[in-house]
Amino acid sequence: MTLRFVGIDPNTGGEGSPTVWVEEESADLVLQGEEANGLLQAFVGSTEWVAGHKTGIPAHERVIRIPARMVPILREACDAAERAAAEHRDVR
């Protein structure tokens, strides 16, 4: 597994911080962030966001928060993921 570090919360204080990587082989975004509080998790888990889609948050998934100030970092990560995916399509 190869992770390409894209960025970290610019307001980090040296503790755990929201961070973004791109996994090179799959071109997936990998995010570290603050786990959402119970109220937000309950709202997300009880809302039918897509008609006919089961509600709830599966045990293997988490709702996380990424600060708005990290939007430029997420854009950069999305661009990197698109490039990685295109490179893998060309090779296969």
Side-chain angles (χ1 to χ4, degrees), residues 41-71:
Q41 288 187 44
F43 178 69
V44 169
S46 65
T47 302
E48 185 181 32
W49 298 101
V50 176
H53 193 275
K54 187 176 179 180
T55 60
I57 302 168
H60 67 281
E61 295 182 356
R62 299 289 179 270
V63 176
I64 63 168
R65 274 189 185 275
I66 300 293
R69 64 183 165 265
M70 292 185 66
V71 168

Side-chain angles (χ1 to χ4, degrees), residues 15-92:
E15 298 286 324
S17 297
T19 307
V20 180
W21 300 266
V22 174
E23 200 275 312
E24 295 285 347
E25 289 77 25
S26 66
D28 289 343
L29 297 178
V30 178
L31 305 173
Q32 174 184 326
E34 178 182 338
E35 188 168 3
N37 65 32
L39 182 62
L40 181 56
Q41 288 187 44
F43 178 69
V44 169
S46 65
T47 302
E48 185 181 32
W49 298 101
V50 176
H53 193 275
K54 187 176 179 180
T55 60
I57 302 168
H60 67 281
E61 295 182 356
R62 299 289 179 270
V63 176
I64 63 168
R65 274 189 185 275
I66 300 293
R69 64 183 165 265
M70 292 185 66
V71 168
I73 294 168
L74 289 170
R75 280 192 190 108
E76 182 181 341
C78 290
D79 292 344
E82 281 185 332
R83 286 190 301 272
E87 289 171 11
H88 290 292
R89 277 194 299 270
D90 292 344
V91 174
R92 293 181 188 166

